[in-house]
Amino acid sequence: MDWLTAPFEVTFVQRALWGGILVSAICALAGTWVVLRGMAFLGDAMSHGLLPGVALAALFGGNLLVGAVASAAVMTAGVTVLGRTPRLSQDTGIGLLFVGMLSLGVIIVSRSQSFAVDLTGFLFGDVLAVQQQDLFLLAGALFAALMVSVLGHRAFLALVFDSRKAQTLGLRPRLANAVLLGLLGLAIVASFHIVGTLLVLGLLIAPPAAALPWARSVRGVMALAALLGVAATFGGLLLSWHLGTAAGATVSALAVSLFFLSHVVSGLRHRRPRLAPAPALEAN
């Protein structure tokens, strides 16, 4: 059993595991709504849109997290404003913001000759470099995400199932959508240091999507997605240690593998009694 426990006897791997657990919980809270609302492209755009803020922070010796938060705020505001433009589809607005922010980030990076390592960490993450203060920040981000999820649960449900009814119920769907974008931005900012922006969707989307066939409620999806994210983190770190692979990429790849495994097993389960309906997702 040493092969199973030996990696986690090392301090920096222990911190990486705790960091991955916290990120898995944050991504489960935000990622469930991303999957239910079909916002994967938006999540990808927002993750890449962090580059200008991170690049500026690195260029001027500032805090990378602060730069990421600033870029996430700009992306959230931009998507919200463009989403209210009647003659512009949401996908078009998101795509333009995506390309614009990414281009601006690359321009900033091109002005410096010392970005190679920082840019690699930004794109692919460095879960093994998680420090004690990072864990405190992630714990704070998880608390904030949990509060937003609890307080906005009813409004978010209305957005998923019937946004027009949300208006008649006085739930202010535009505000709820903006808050949901903020929750998504929080999850991406919290995660990019762990798995990088290119791989963040692995933890943000794969666990909730894997949980969807097995859960009967939105809260059930969130809970199971968090467990699957923790399993991907533990297994990814373990495989990375023994195989010598990149830790963040291994965690993300394992999360995606769990998604495919979940849907294959679910398909086989429902194929036996061919007329048996799939479990319906309850609105709670």
Side-chain angles (χ1 to χ4, degrees):
M1 293 295 291
D2 285 347
W3 67 274
L4 188 63
T5 59
F8 302 99
E9 295 174 358
V10 181
T11 303
F12 67 85
V13 181
Q14 293 175 3
R15 288 198 298 264
L17 178 61
W18 279 111
I21 290 172
L22 292 170
V23 165
S24 296
I26 296 170
C27 286
L29 293 172
T32 297
W33 300 115
V34 171
V35 171
L36 292 178
R37 293 203 67 201
M39 298 164 57
F41 177 55
L42 174 59
D44 189 34
M46 289 192 69
S47 65
H48 287 79
L50 301 185
L51 181 56
V54 173
L56 283 173
L59 185 62
F60 293 105
N63 189 300
L64 299 185
L65 184 61
V66 174
V69 170
S71 281
V74 171
M75 284 292 295
T76 300
V79 170
T80 301
V81 171
L82 290 177
R84 297 176 181 177
T85 304
R87 296 186 178 181
L88 189 67
S89 70
Q90 186 178 41
D91 281 351
T92 301
I94 293 171
L96 291 173
L97 278 172
F98 173 24
V99 174
M101 292 290 282
L102 187 60
S103 299
L104 179 59
V106 172
I107 290 172
I108 296 171
V109 168
S110 68
R111 294 290 299 171
S112 173
Q113 302 299 319
S114 61
F115 264 103
V117 175
D118 293 332
L119 187 58
T120 300
F122 171 79
L123 293 175
F124 302 107
D126 191 0
V127 64
L128 297 179
V130 172
Q131 301 298 318
Q132 193 69 36
Q133 60 268 27
D134 296 325
L135 296 180
F136 291 126
L137 289 172
L138 287 174
L142 175 57
F143 178 78
L146 187 59
M147 290 299 99
V148 171
S149 298
V150 170
L151 295 175
H153 185 79
R154 187 163 174 258
F156 296 161
L157 274 177
L159 282 178
V160 170
F161 292 103
D162 193 344
S163 58
R164 289 176 296 180
K165 188 175 181 180
Q167 185 72 42
T168 63
L169 293 174
L171 294 176
R172 304 179 68 182
R174 287 186 175 182
L175 176 60
N177 188 66
V179 173
L180 185 55
L181 290 177
L183 178 62
L184 174 59
L186 174 64
I188 291 173
V189 169
S191 306
F192 90 92
H193 179 60
I194 305 298
V195 292
T197 59
L198 289 181
L199 305 173
V200 68
L201 287 186
L203 284 180
L204 188 67
I205 294 179
L212 207 55
W214 306 95
R216 293 182 177 273
S217 69
V218 173
R219 292 188 181 93
V221 174
M222 290 178 176
L224 184 54
L227 291 176
L228 290 172
V230 170
T233 299
F234 181 86
L237 290 174
L238 186 66
L239 289 173
S240 171
W241 177 273
H242 290 295
L243 300 179
T245 56
T250 307
V251 169
S252 183
L254 188 55
V256 175
S257 299
L258 289 176
F259 159 75
F260 286 111
L261 178 62
S262 169
H263 281 263
V264 168
V265 173
S266 176
L268 292 175
R269 184 187 66 163
H270 289 100
R271 186 172 297 177
R272 290 177 182 175
R274 298 184 67 88
L275 298 179
L281 190 66
E282 298 175 0
N284 56 52

